[in-house]
Amino acid sequence: MQIFYKRLLLSCFACMCLLNGFLFSSKVQAQNKTTQATWIWYPGDFEVWLSNQMQNRRTERGTFFPPFWRMDSHYVLVEFHKEFNLTQPEEIELFTEGQYNVKLNGKMLSGYPKKLQLAAGRQKINIKVYAQDKVPAIYINGKTVKTDASWLATFEDKEWIDETGKASDASGTTYVNAGTWNFNSPNQKPSNFKLSTKPKYAIKTDVKGASRLIDFGQETFGFIKLHGLKGNGQLRIYYGESKEEALSPQKCETIDFVDVNLAKAQDSTLQLSKAFRYVQVETDAGVKLDSVSMLYEYLPVKDRGTFTSSDAELNKIWQVSKYTMELTTREFFIDGIKRDRWMWSGDAYQSYLMNYYLGFDEASVRRTILALRGKDPVTSHINTIMDYTFYWFLSIQDYYQYTGDKQFINLVYPKMKSLMDFCLQRRNQNGFMQGLSGDWIFIDWADGLSKQGEVSFEQLLLCRSLETIALCADLAADDKASAYYKNEAAQLKTKFFNSYWNADKQAIVHSRIEGKQTENVTRYANMFAIFFDYLNTQQKEGVKKNVLLNDKVQKIMTPYMRFYELEALCAMGEHDYVMKEMKNYWGGMLKLGATSFWEEYNPSKKDTEHYAMYGRDFGKSLCHSWGASPVYLLGKYYLGVKPLTAGYQQYLVEPHLGGLQWMQGTVPTPNGDISLYCSTSAIKIKADSGTGTLRLKSKIKPQAKGISVKQIGPNYYELSIPSNKEYTVKYKL
Amino acid sequence: MQIFYKRLLLSCFACMCLLNGFLFSSKVQAQNKTTQATWIWYPGDFEVWLSNQMQNRRTERGTFFPPFWRMDSHYVLVEFHKEFNLTQPEEIELFTEGQYNVKLNGKMLSGYPKKLQLAAGRQKINIKVYAQDKVPAIYINGKTVKTDASWLATFEDKEWIDETGKASDASGTTYVNAGTWNFNSPNQKPSNFKLSTKPKYAIKTDVKGASRLIDFGQETFGFIKLHGLKGNGQLRIYYGESKEEALSPQKCETIDFVDVNLAKAQDSTLQLSKAFRYVQVETDAGVKLDSVSMLYEYLPVKDRGTFTSSDAELNKIWQVSKYTMELTTREFFIDGIKRDRWMWSGDAYQSYLMNYYLGFDEASVRRTILALRGKDPVTSHINTIMDYTFYWFLSIQDYYQYTGDKQFINLVYPKMKSLMDFCLQRRNQNGFMQGLSGDWIFIDWADGLSKQGEVSFEQLLLCRSLETIALCADLAADDKASAYYKNEAAQLKTKFFNSYWNADKQAIVHSRIEGKQTENVTRYANMFAIFFDYLNTQQKEGVKKNVLLNDKVQKIMTPYMRFYELEALCAMGEHDYVMKEMKNYWGGMLKLGATSFWEEYNPSKKDTEHYAMYGRDFGKSLCHSWGASPVYLLGKYYLGVKPLTAGYQQYLVEPHLGGLQWMQGTVPTPNGDISLYCSTSAIKIKADSGTGTLRLKSKIKPQAKGISVKQIGPNYYELSIPSNKEYTVKYKL
């Protein structure tokens, strides 16, 4: 643990030079708690405020294109406080975002103090801040008194006084731990937050008259910079993820028109960042331009997860997946970088999972979960989509399992309850979720997919959501609610199988309409039921044969649902098959020149057909977070690393080469990394913390110095791996 | 009606010169609907935003002093739309507050259009606006297409598109009529709203060395202006509602310290308006100052209600009450102008009632009701005070009765429901409201008043609130809810009398503790039960004798509760007694030099004792809205004018001279005025609209040309008064 911190501090200093003082690793926050002051706010408020900014930056052909769901706001008036017991007097400095007042030991101080002298002994500091346009926030720094997540905050302190001047006891006030990120100096005001940028240059420019086509070599995101701009007239920029898009002024999805009126040549950077690989820049006769470059805009996330293997194509798939995640991991985890640039709960759910095998950036997961949920009252499903509400629940169980962060569960649990209330109140007379007015049943982009009646997929996700909230109720010690949710989950599960399992088909059917099973079988509910572990062995085999490996069942065309389809197959041990599918599907995109992975890929389409979607020639996103799932599959099912208890205190390593000769990689955990090398005859493993179980098939009894080996089945063994030392295991696949 | 509009238009033009183009009469709004474009927003949002600004302007001795309850925010993303059927093509101009896009007949227009060409025929305009720091708002003006309250708005349009590019039907979206006030030109942006100002000058200045005491002659509110300010050093301003306060630098409630660094003399106006009659200005040796004046800051409200009589002291009481209301009717109806400058629901409730007999400014009532309520979810009582939640309900019944504005009821009804849910869920096992953690049971400022257990007063207000919401459920055609609320109200009323009526005492007792009646009898529940008409004749007489006219029952010391005490006595025909009380109590304040009425007045106190409250020497507000109740009592119970049906379609005039020789006055209604002159032998009456019933006691049969007279009791008569003509009635008191 100590070593890990040291390592992080070093990288922190490195970042501070490079990245304007911002560091985006969640680990630093834990460290802040004891040693570093940081800006604090009402938890969730900065996230809501920042997500409003980000999600209202979408444009479509120059027109503002905001979301269609409710956007919330921060609390404009917030009280922060903490008690200290000082051994010595100390001076503290105070910085705020907003108008404020200060109470010291219950006594209001005059004016707007910027420094405070604290005496030794018990000291209570209350600060109340008002801001409408930004999030009320404070930063206090003294020798021992510092703002951090241990401060308490409320949006209603209820501190009235009666006619005698006596204050109320404010006992009805709910205080919560303050929200933080990594704004660790007075000048790093939360309201000034910007992503980092660095210059990038074109690899090729083709000039044709007044038009030039600039190729940046790969999918990218940032601000176009116009060098040596001069003259009078208009300059038009047509962005393209493909060359064809940039060369299509009438149909490209994003554009910028710049009115130029410059007597002297100067460099000019566009205000709004965009996604592209190519840009076509067209100038009026009166406008001159030397060259075009860009400022690449990104969230600095520490490189942690790695993967290489004996298969060069697979390595490229992993690298392009990683880059796809880099591009879509921004203020929040977003869907695609060209078009929506919004948070979508179902998309983000996958980003979280991939992130656990890449940067392990806990803070970005928390930000996205909080911003997606917004504030009460609940007036619609998250993103208006029923399934996306359920993914939001599921994401919290994963977050806890991977990070072990119980404090976040306590923060988010009340928000889970009100959202679950909303869901349960919308069940129909059969106790099933069915689309009501304003509910979008999404599931997947798939031709002719029925959303009518009681869709089995939605009930399955509700059931898992109920199990998740019951777990969180346990963590929050809300026993009554836990019992209630567990009972609801159990009842629903029973009813689900009674209602949707078709013994003849040996599969879950797609839906019920007017209380009767339809004949339709789709992959969705079937594959989720597998990795939810809801099926018995016989049912699993039935589903595998009749659904997953049955070409007559409608095929999945999005990487989004391929994620789950391949996960289900991995969960059933079909690693060799999935390896082939991965190489076919993602390798297929690479063969078409993809430099990031797509929103949808249908191998049967040709040429520019690949770029079309939503009835628009270039409607498809060519960099979509859900395209990056190989990162997750390779980490969890091939390197085979996953937490068994919250926060990787205990974890499993069950490597599967899936036909590879060797693979090696690193999986990040909250307290260090797990490194693994695996060939057909040897495994090297080292973990910085936690207790690991290495589980493997071997034709010989595995051997490792200092580790006992337990046989758990025919040619099947388990080894218990201590932390902080590299172990080599000899075996035979 | 026609005449009324004309009159109003004239005054409108007058105001537009005087008041920077703002006119604050609610009537103009109705007119806008057909002829004038106005800025629109999501209803309630401007009110919430403006109230945040206003309520965060309080300072105490130079320190920021914000409210202790939750402050909400506007929706940052709002969609507005309306369909038109145009006989001719027309061009419209579009102005917005915020980033926006425009859809015409379902098709998104490119960029940010400022003008639109509409073809003849069916035209649907959708505009979506995002703004974080201010309220998303739009203003459209064309020949026939104009923004007004008939436009619809939503904060979640739920307009998604599926993979084929097909839009959802958005049928789950709740649209409401847009909010408006009187921002009737493109430049009058809601975010620029400011109250009006005009210069006022001191009547006296006493200079003593570096200090000067300036007397503005009466209580006032505004920005201090420093003329000929020059030099280097500090200038200190001590504000005082009394001379003693201004002369007490250590204890005055509000101060301003100005750092001066001016080589050349100039005039300088302070940034924050304050309440005062006196200011003491103290300067450092290096600072020079010619003189001090002020900018009086006010909401322009039309003068409508009037009252004069044969009693000069009473006339002064009415005038000073009116001025007290002028000072406290601002962005919203506030409590007092020196200290809180906040909206308090119980205080505002009385302001509404007084306003119906003064300016009849419906818009200010609506603004205050909306801002007090804020947004869901409900997390505490309004202002944290249980009784103040109930007054909020009661205010809506009054608003409907006086204005007949059903559209507002429809807007506010869902907010009533969620607030009532909050209340009903907080009842104890006996079905009574009892203070829980964080609930403030206020009732009144009164020494030793018990708030323990189940306080009868709160149950009584809940019962009336249930009756109110049932009425609104009827207006909103929510039959199921209406039946539910009516049943809850009836059950509570029965239980109330079973639990709190003491047959021996012939009075309602103050409270129950642990299920048992206390011995304590206070005035509060008893007097409210009278004008709620909850008592039978025998009970009324008991209450009158044993409580209201019983000096042994703790006396009321605030004009706030005197309001209801005197109203109850008026309701029981004790006009002569109340007249004497009014002259004693409010006349008492005048004799002490009051130029506006106070937060509390205890005749037994002496000299500067009157200024103290909350344990502070000058803690008391000397201009408090609840001090102005004679305006209401004289209008409703002496002129005797009140609506019998919603919006004064039918009304009652039952004059009571209460010992006066004559009185005359005007009572405003939604559609004109009711003017009345009354002596002991003649009554003159004229109403601009509605059907009136003149009810009076007379020793002779009253005579009036063209009006038939009906006897309703011994020496008791009723006359039906048509509108639009002055009638003279001869009678004999």
Side-chain angles (χ1 to χ4, degrees), chain B residues 541-732:
Chain B
E541 286 305 319
V543 162
K544 185 164 142 185
K545 188 178 147 213
N546 299 309
V547 186
L548 297 190
L549 302 178
N550 179 357
D551 276 354
K552 288 182 190 148
V553 174
Q554 186 179 15
K555 280 192 182 171
I556 286 169
M557 291 303 163
T558 57
Y560 175 54
M561 276 293 145
R562 295 237 62 175
F563 181 110
Y564 301 114
E565 184 183 33
L566 298 181
E567 173 154 33
L569 288 163
C570 286
M572 296 189 66
E574 297 290 332
H575 295 82
D576 292 9
Y577 175 86
V578 170
M579 180 62 75
K580 277 180 211 137
E581 286 292 306
M582 262 201 285
K583 282 168 61 71
N584 271 338
Y585 191 77
W586 280 269
M589 284 190 258
L590 290 182
K591 286 190 184 82
L592 290 169
T595 58
S596 56
F597 288 126
W598 302 351
E599 181 175 18
E600 186 196 48
Y601 169 52
N602 181 344
S604 68
K605 291 192 175 166
K606 277 186 192 163
D607 304 329
T608 56
E609 284 174 16
H610 284 295
Y611 306 142
M613 205 167 168
Y614 308 104
R616 305 199 303 263
D617 285 5
F618 304 103
K620 189 181 292 170
S621 159
L622 299 190
C623 174
H624 226 67
S625 60
W626 71 30
S629 52
V631 157
Y632 171 69
L633 296 170
L634 290 169
K636 185 170 177 189
Y637 292 102
Y638 291 83
L639 294 177
V641 178
K642 65 177 184 186
L644 289 177
T645 60
Y648 273 98
Q649 292 203 335
Q650 295 186 46
Y651 61 91
L652 180 70
V653 181
E654 187 169 10
H656 286 97
L657 281 163
L660 299 169
Q661 285 153 26
W662 60 267
M663 62 183 175
Q664 71 177 17
T666 311
V667 172
T669 79
N671 301 305
D673 295 334
I674 297 167
S675 304
L676 185 76
Y677 166 87
C678 177
S679 72
T680 54
S681 60
I683 290 169
K684 286 182 195 169
I685 184 167
K686 177 171 182 279
D688 289 337
S689 72
T691 307
T693 298
L694 177 64
R695 189 184 292 160
L696 67 169
K697 293 215 161 145
S698 176
K699 286 174 187 151
I700 59 170
K701 185 181 179 188
Q703 288 186 327
K705 215 173 164 180
I707 290 183
S708 64
V709 176
K710 189 169 84 176
Q711 183 157 12
I712 57 167
N715 297 331
Y716 206 22
Y717 301 91
E718 272 187 9
L719 295 79
S720 180
I721 310 293
S723 61
N724 275 324
K725 199 183 146 197
E726 184 177 275
Y727 296 92
T728 302
V729 181
K730 289 191 178 160
Y731 83 118
K732 191 169 162 56

Side-chain angles (χ1 to χ4, degrees), chain B residues 440-583:
Chain B
W440 185 359
I441 311 287
F442 173 60
I443 309 174
D444 195 14
W445 295 130
D447 289 343
L449 185 63
S450 168
K451 319 285 173 79
Q452 301 306 305
E454 299 156 345
V455 178
S456 58
F457 181 69
E458 303 292 341
Q459 321 312 323
L460 199 73
L461 290 187
L462 171 59
C463 190
R464 191 60 151 195
S465 301
L466 283 162
E467 290 171 353
T468 299
I469 195 171
L471 172 88
C472 295
D474 285 339
L475 291 170
D478 186 354
D479 298 340
K480 203 175 143 194
S482 166
Y484 170 72
Y485 293 129
K486 277 174 189 158
N487 180 49
E488 287 289 332
Q491 284 192 19
L492 180 57
K493 199 166 167 180
T494 304
K495 194 159 56 178
F496 178 86
F497 281 97
N498 290 340
S499 305
Y500 293 103
W501 181 256
N502 187 311
D504 296 340
K505 297 179 194 289
Q506 283 292 301
I508 297 163
V509 299
H510 181 72
S511 58
R512 291 175 9 131
I513 292 180
E514 289 170 7
K516 282 186 190 157
Q517 274 194 11
T518 58
E519 289 296 311
N520 193 10
V521 171
T522 55
R523 291 171 192 261
Y524 309 105
N526 286 289
M527 64 204 195
F528 274 68
I530 287 174
F531 57 76
F532 285 174
D533 210 13
Y534 279 5
L535 304 177
N536 62 34
T537 313
Q538 192 200 336
Q539 287 172 322
K540 270 188 197 168
E541 286 305 319
V543 162
K544 185 164 142 185
K545 188 178 147 213
N546 299 309
V547 186
L548 297 190
L549 302 178
N550 179 357
D551 276 354
K552 288 182 190 148
V553 174
Q554 186 179 15
K555 280 192 182 171
I556 286 169
M557 291 303 163
T558 57
Y560 175 54
M561 276 293 145
R562 295 237 62 175
F563 181 110
Y564 301 114
E565 184 183 33
L566 298 181
E567 173 154 33
L569 288 163
C570 286
M572 296 189 66
E574 297 290 332
H575 295 82
D576 292 9
Y577 175 86
V578 170
M579 180 62 75
K580 277 180 211 137
E581 286 292 306
M582 262 201 285
K583 282 168 61 71

Side-chain angles (χ1 to χ4, degrees), chain A residues 52 56 63-64 66-68 73 76 99 101 109-111 128 130 132 156-158 163 376-377 379 445-446 614, chain B residues 52 56 63-64 66-68 73 76 99 101 109-111 128 130 132 156-158 163 376-377 379 445-446 614:
Chain A
N52 287 353
N56 282 298
T63 299
F64 171 52
F68 47 81
S73 269
V76 298
Q99 192 177 354
N101 67 32
L109 303 187
S110 179
K128 212 162 156 180
Y130 162 66
Q132 178 76 57
E156 49 177 9
D157 58 45
K158 300 186 178 177
E163 65 273 34
D376 283 334
T379 57
W445 295 132
Y614 309 105
Chain B
N52 287 353
N56 283 300
T63 300
F64 171 52
F68 47 81
S73 270
V76 298
Q99 192 177 354
N101 66 32
L109 303 186
S110 179
K128 211 160 158 182
Y130 163 65
Q132 179 76 56
E156 47 177 9
D157 58 43
K158 300 186 178 179
E163 65 272 33
D376 282 335
T379 57
W445 295 130
Y614 308 104

Side-chain angles (χ1 to χ4, degrees), chain B residues 1-10 26-34 302 304 362 403-404 647-649 669-673 686-690 723-725:
Chain B
M1 193 103 155
Q2 189 56 33
I3 290 166
F4 179 66
Y5 277 153
K6 266 197 198 153
R7 204 156 22 109
L8 220 88
L9 258 182
L10 276 173
S26 56
K27 240 23 257 181
V28 175
Q29 198 180 12
Q31 199 178 12
N32 289 341
K33 283 172 192 167
T34 50
K302 196 170 146 56
R304 295 187 62 193
E362 296 177 42
T403 68
Y648 273 98
Q649 292 203 335
T669 79
N671 301 305
D673 295 334
K686 177 171 182 279
D688 289 337
S689 72
S723 61
N724 275 324
K725 199 183 146 197

